[in-house]
Amino acid sequence: MEEKNKEVIRRFYQEFFNDHIVDSADRYVREDYVQHNPGVEQGRDGLKRAFAEKFREHPEFALDIQMLIAENDMVAVYLKNVAPDGTTRCRVVDIYRLEEGMLAEHWDVLQPCE
């Protein structure tokens, strides 16, 4: 289960965060997605709205996965937000709980670099 969940996260990050295909969340994120980041609305649609706006404002936005750690239905992702020139803008740890192969719940910790 752990390797399958890690692959779901890899595909989600590539399609949603790096390719900016906001509707790809429909394949990876449950409709009743629980968001513990107070800056993002609850549910899949809240996530889509928040990042559609972010991608419009920052078309260069990309995340580079550094490490994935999985245990049972939980996956932790250590990543960097990298500028087009290769500099690191921010380091992030995202933690997800998956249900039936889809993201069900999310927590995060951010470390700005600038």
Side-chain angles (χ1 to χ4, degrees), residues 30-68:
R30 290 176 52 93
E31 188 174 353
D32 60 349
Y33 180 69
V34 177
Q35 176 62 260
H36 294 282
N37 180 324
V40 179
E41 292 177 53
Q42 294 297 313
R44 179 174 60 212
D45 288 341
L47 177 72
K48 289 169 64 173
R49 277 190 297 276
F51 279 92
E53 182 178 329
K54 183 169 192 70
F55 299 152
R56 274 192 302 275
E57 293 173 4
H58 302 282
E60 78 290 351
F61 182 85
L63 296 173
D64 184 15
I65 294 175
Q66 303 293 301
M67 183 185 320
L68 288 167

Side-chain angles (χ1 to χ4, degrees), residues 61-101:
F61 182 85
L63 296 173
D64 184 15
I65 294 175
Q66 303 293 301
M67 183 185 320
L68 288 167
I69 301 168
E71 183 175 327
N72 299 319
D73 63 351
M74 304 293 289
V75 177
V77 186
Y78 170 60
L79 51 99
K80 295 179 181 180
N81 172 231
V82 182
D85 68 2
T87 59
T88 299
R89 292 180 171 158
C90 181
R91 291 178 180 89
V92 180
V93 175
D94 281 326
I95 302 169
Y96 295 96
R97 182 179 59 80
L98 285 82
E99 253 180 58
E100 299 174 354

Side-chain angles (χ1 to χ4, degrees), residues 19-31:
D19 296 339
H20 299 181
I21 304 169
V22 174
D23 286 338
S24 69
D26 297 341
R27 284 191 298 280
Y28 299 106
V29 180
R30 290 176 52 93
E31 188 174 353

